[in-house]
Amino acid sequence: MSSTIAQPNASTTQIVRPARSFQGSVTVPGDKSISHRYAMLAGLAEGTTRLSNFSTGADPHSTLGCMGALGAKVTKNGTSIEVTGTAGAFQQPGSDLDCGNSGSTMRMLAGLIAPHPHTFTMIGDHSLTMRPMERIRMPLSAMGARIDLVDGHAPMVIHGGPLKAIDFDTPIPSAQVKTAVLFAGLQAEGTTSLSETVRTRDHSEHALKAFGATLSRTGERLSIPGGQKLKAIEATVPGDISSAAFFLSAALLFPDSNLVLDSLGMNPTRAALLDVITTLGGKIKVLMVDELPVLAAIAPYTRDGVVIRDAKELRIKESDRIALVVKNLRAMGAEVTELEDGMIVPGNQQLHGAEIDSGSDHRIAMAFAIAALRATSENVIHGADAAAISFPEFFTFLEELSKR
Ligand code: S3P
């Protein structure tokens, strides 16, 4: 099975019938987080970057669209992407930078473009416009950027110009905020340093080094000297473990499953899911926000259930993921307790089919398609096309792997 590009006309409702087992091999799309970062740094670099296995999800393609508007030349040939960069000089875009549904695009790109002497207006869809952006405005303003938000939200207008390095202690663990500061620091005057209390995914650190930048880590403190130039690369994006998480979870539901996942990225800052899966039925307190919806959705079928705490950030993702998981689990007949920062899902429960509300959130649509495989009757997933944000091939692959 190979990846294909997003199908924009996919139906918005999908019926998922119970399965008997889950079998087969699958290649999930290229990692969304890495695709974003490579696309952004390629746009800033000098020369032509060639990427293969670029994510088929709509979000990284929003980033590519923005890079085009900023003056990079983007050529797409299936999952092979070429980006000829602007050699450090983004142009004034002729229109708004449309980030679509992608928080990663808006937040990380803000740091990359803020040092450039133009006015940038970043917009997004309804969900993105509801998400907090003050966390980006705060460090970038401290570096000297002038940023306008509407009540802490997009549209975000950046009045760019030369920036000064800062020492920044991230108040919330966020790879997107860290990245915005690193990308701005790369182009600022002086050495920017940043410390994280909880380590977040480190794809930006790796990507910056791949494009020739210097940065260092001492304990929890990262330092990046400013005034650096980037050089184009050739790279293959590894498979997305957050997409694989859905099928790994499905495989857990059936004792005779046999699932082969190809070319998966196994970066330790992302692979915590695998530790959880081997001990599923415990208390989940690790930083793996993107995987929590599916783990919660299959928790009723586990022996001991799952307790999720310290995960308040789930409420301000593409949807309020705590509220939606609880609502959909209850629709399927599950007992679940909603907490401000998580939920308690007892194990050993039998669920029935229901009408599922994805809230136009890709991870909710896919999480409940997986929960549907072990229900006693079919589920109707409304807003199923949201899956295309990160994994357009999801429902096709799901049908191929589910044995009935
Ligand atoms: C991402 C970081 C995470 C994650 C998001 C992608 C990234 O968000 O939820 O889907 O690529 O850096 P945080 O910024 O909250 O860590």
Side-chain angles (χ1 to χ4, degrees):
M1 252 180 258
S2 63
S3 298
T4 47
I5 293 293
Q7 306 127 28
N9 297 325
S11 135
T12 57
T13 295
Q14 287 276 352
I15 293 176
V16 181
R17 288 177 294 124
R20 248 186 324 104
S21 79
F22 204 72
Q23 310 265 346
S25 72
V26 69
T27 305
V28 297
D31 188 281
K32 179 162 90 67
S33 291
I34 296 174
S35 296
H36 278 301
R37 286 157 172 84
Y38 281 179
M40 289 183 198
L41 296 180
L44 183 67
E46 184 183 351
T48 299
T49 288
R50 292 184 181 84
L51 302 173
S52 49
N53 199 37
F54 192 84
S55 168
T56 50
D59 270 7
H61 286 265
S62 292
T63 290
L64 287 174
C66 292
M67 298 326 293
L70 289 161
K73 185 168 173 277
V74 178
T75 315
K76 302 181 185 181
N77 180 8
T79 60
S80 296
I81 305 286
E82 279 191 11
V83 180
T84 302
T86 57
F90 286 135
Q91 70 181 29
Q92 169 68 51
S95 57
D96 295 346
L97 295 173
D98 188 354
C99 305
N101 188 246
S102 176
S104 299
T105 307
M106 190 171 282
R107 292 182 177 140
M108 302 196 295
L109 193 54
L112 197 73
I113 59 181
H116 296 256
H118 308 299
T119 301
F120 307 98
T121 302
M122 305 178 90
I123 58 166
D125 69 5
H126 175 73
S127 149
L128 185 51
T129 304
M130 306 296 286
R131 298 181 66 187
M133 292 298 149
E134 182 57 34
R135 55 183 63 191
I136 292 298
R137 202 186 68 83
M138 196 244 289
L140 295 180
S141 309
M143 297 177 88
R146 200 154 58 79
I147 299 183
D148 305 328
L149 293 170
V150 180
D151 215 6
H153 298 95
M156 172 150 53
V157 179
I158 301 181
H159 308 274
L163 301 185
K164 288 216 161 22
I166 49 166
D167 290 335
F168 183 58
D169 292 336
T170 53
I172 348 157
S174 163
Q176 294 169 350
V177 175
K178 170 176 69 177
T179 302
V181 173
L182 289 176
F183 284 2
L186 172 81
Q187 304 168 79
E189 188 191 326
T191 295
T192 293
S193 78
L194 175 148
S195 84
E196 304 189 89
T197 42
V198 179
R199 249 190 223 196
T200 60
R201 61 190 72 189
D202 61 1
H203 301 303
S204 298
E205 294 90 309
H206 288 291
L208 280 162
K209 285 182 184 159
F211 279 87
T214 301
L215 74 161
S216 58
R217 177 185 277 279
T218 313
E220 293 316 311
R221 189 154 284 276
L222 280 166
S223 297
I224 184 156
Q228 301 196 58
K229 302 272 178 259
L230 303 182
K231 280 263 182 307
I233 61 166
E234 295 204 2
T236 300
V237 179
D240 195 323
I241 193 158
S242 299
S243 295
F246 297 101
F247 297 150
L248 285 166
S249 303
L252 280 181
L253 298 179
F254 304 97
D256 67 340
S257 298
N258 188 345
L259 177 67
V260 178
L261 288 156
D262 272 344
S263 318
L264 213 51
M266 293 296 288
N267 177 315
T269 63
R270 289 284 295 288
L273 168 79
L274 299 178
D275 302 333
V276 171
I277 275 182
T278 53
T279 57
L280 198 67
K283 185 169 172 177
I284 302 178
K285 248 185 110 175
V286 287
L287 197 79
M288 39 177 294
V289 276
D290 296 341
E291 288 73 47
L292 290 178
V294 70
L295 290 176
I298 64 161
Y301 304 123
T302 63
R303 198 188 60 195
D304 301 325
V306 159
V307 178
I308 297 174
R309 301 300 310 259
D310 291 345
K312 220 171 167 175
E313 279 282 310
L314 283 179
R315 292 201 181 270
I316 47 173
K317 290 287 174 187
E318 286 83 329
S319 68
D320 178 341
R321 288 181 172 163
I322 294 177
L324 268 180
V325 166
V326 168
K327 173 181 160 176
N328 288 317
L329 278 177
R330 286 190 181 142
M332 293 179 75
E335 182 197 331
V336 46
T337 305
E338 179 169 356
L339 306 171
E340 192 43 37
D341 66 345
M343 66 193 84
I344 303 170
V345 190
N348 212 8
Q349 304 191 58
Q350 177 94 280
L351 306 192
H352 55 69
E355 305 268 332
I356 300 298
D357 173 11
S358 79
S360 302
D361 182 330
H362 55 134
R363 302 218 192 265
I364 299 291
M366 294 187 279
F368 280 88
I370 299 302
L373 298 176
R374 268 280 301 271
T376 51
S377 50
E378 70 182 27
N379 275 258
V380 180
I381 318 273
H382 295 288
D385 55 328
I389 288 296
S390 57
F391 196 173
E393 310 84 352
F394 173 81
F395 282 100
T396 307
F397 289 0
L398 184 73
E399 278 313 293
E400 290 181 32
L401 295 165
S402 303
K403 305 301 168 206
R404 298 197 160 88

